[in-house]
Amino acid sequence: MKILIVDGNVRAVNELNRSLGGTPSGEGYEAALKHLDPDLDITIIRPADDGPDCLPSGAKLSDFDGIAWTGSALNAYIDDEAVLNQLPLAKSTVASGIPVFGSCWGMQIVARAFGGQVRAIPKGREIGIGRMIQLTPEGVKHPMYSEKPACFSALTVHMDEVSVAPEGAVILAGNDYSDIQAFVMENDGLRFWGVQYHPEYTLAELAAIFRRYGQRLIDAGLFADQGALDRMANDWETLHNHPGRKDLAWQYGVDDNARLAERRMTELGNWLASI
């Protein structure tokens, strides 16, 4: 299958994340999808910097079997160039009828493009483990959540949320932080699945993000000081490299749904199977 990945971040953020031991958003998403299917033929585009007309020369959306939108450090409700560059592409990718999956920013930019609303989370930043994500009755029945428990945890990092879903969207999951942790649009020929969390992330990726946000997390009261942040980042990197470390998994409450790749990426696997 041919998959188009839309990297929602600006290059400067991607390179900063790389310098701190993380992976640029598009490359990280590619690694996750290829973990599920090594034979995928993947193309990455970067509209935040390159604008909405950033497909490779001669390529068109209909060349692809599926389209995945990554996360981003941008705010979908702010009208700066990097955001406005992505709105028409978000509209056209979903309107094409090609199966589209969006993580975090990917769900938010699609929501705005189709008339929904995005805002800063009133309760503040949700980062690390998103807990007690509960499926709605529609979510329990939806193929995106096949083989997923009705209540689960997931790797997450967001300070914004979809507060109003687009017309025709069906909400599949929520938790105490955000009422909308997942929605789908499958009306009028659309085939969009979106989640607020990051099934494509690893614990090592979260560790790099902790380091990138640094003082902002300390100022928000999530860490006592830089030493506490560094310890958690180092421990999560260790747990990524040695997933059998039950002591670290227990200490941080990282259950199998967040730690084990096949369970963490259930939604992405189900999406690939649906194409």
Side-chain angles (χ1 to χ4, degrees):
M1 289 191 294
K2 296 184 69 174
I3 302 294
L4 178 68
I5 293 176
V6 186
D7 186 331
N9 258 320
V10 297
R11 284 189 175 85
V13 169
N14 275 329
E15 290 310 312
L16 176 59
N17 211 40
R18 190 198 300 274
S19 73
L20 295 170
T23 309
S25 300
E27 294 175 24
Y29 224 106
E30 178 180 26
L33 292 179
K34 286 205 166 186
H35 178 89
L36 295 167
D37 183 350
D39 295 326
L40 293 175
D41 179 359
I42 290 177
T43 299
I44 302 173
I45 58 174
R46 299 174 175 84
D49 292 295
D50 299 337
D53 299 319
C54 55
L55 284 172
S57 178
K60 53 189 183 298
L61 291 179
S62 59
D63 294 336
F64 299 95
D65 301 295
I67 302 169
W69 280 77
T70 75
S72 175
L74 296 168
N75 307 102
Y77 46 82
I78 295 178
D79 288 340
D80 66 19
E81 184 178 10
V83 175
L84 297 177
N85 278 348
Q86 301 190 59
L87 280 169
L89 186 61
K91 184 84 171 183
S92 62
T93 54
V94 177
S96 71
I98 297 166
V100 179
F101 193 100
S103 295
C104 195
W105 163 263
M107 187 175 82
Q108 294 168 9
I109 195 68
V110 166
R112 180 178 173 186
F114 281 83
Q117 296 178 25
V118 182
R119 66 177 181 182
I121 305 171
K123 292 185 176 182
R125 191 187 305 274
E126 184 180 32
I127 186 168
I129 305 291
R131 303 188 188 280
M132 299 292 290
I133 300 172
Q134 296 187 349
L135 299 183
T136 64
E138 293 80 9
V140 170
K141 296 180 290 186
H142 196 276
M144 181 165 75
Y145 286 115
S146 177
E147 304 301 321
K148 198 83 171 181
C151 183
F152 60 93
S153 62
L155 301 188
T156 191
V157 50
H158 67 119
M159 61 183 295
D160 300 332
E161 65 179 1
V162 176
S163 55
V164 179
E167 184 177 355
V170 177
I171 297 170
L172 300 188
N175 73 350
D176 286 343
Y177 253 87
S178 294
D179 290 339
I180 304 176
Q181 286 281 350
F183 75 76
V184 295
M185 292 193 298
E186 297 173 309
N187 52 314
D188 300 324
L190 307 181
R191 299 177 65 187
F192 175 76
W193 296 4
V195 298
Q196 182 54 69
Y197 47 92
H198 287 275
E200 78 280 9
Y201 273 5
T202 66
L203 293 170
E205 194 64 40
L206 261 295
I209 291 171
F210 294 155
R211 297 184 182 111
R212 189 180 89 222
Y213 284 3
Q215 189 62 42
R216 283 174 286 176
L217 300 182
I218 297 168
D219 292 343
L222 300 182
F223 293 96
D225 52 34
Q226 186 65 44
L229 188 155
D230 289 339
R231 282 192 295 275
M232 184 170 179
N234 292 339
D235 284 346
W236 281 41
E237 204 163 40
T238 298
L239 186 55
H240 167 76
N241 292 322
H242 304 282
R245 284 286 300 271
K246 292 183 179 179
D247 57 327
L248 294 179
W250 174 83
Q251 180 178 345
Y252 293 104
V254 183
D255 67 9
D256 288 351
N257 287 313
R259 189 173 85 256
L260 303 180
E262 285 69 22
R263 292 180 63 169
R264 189 176 67 244
M265 293 194 288
T266 295
E267 296 89 330
L268 283 173
N270 288 337
W271 176 67
L272 289 175
S274 77
I275 296 174

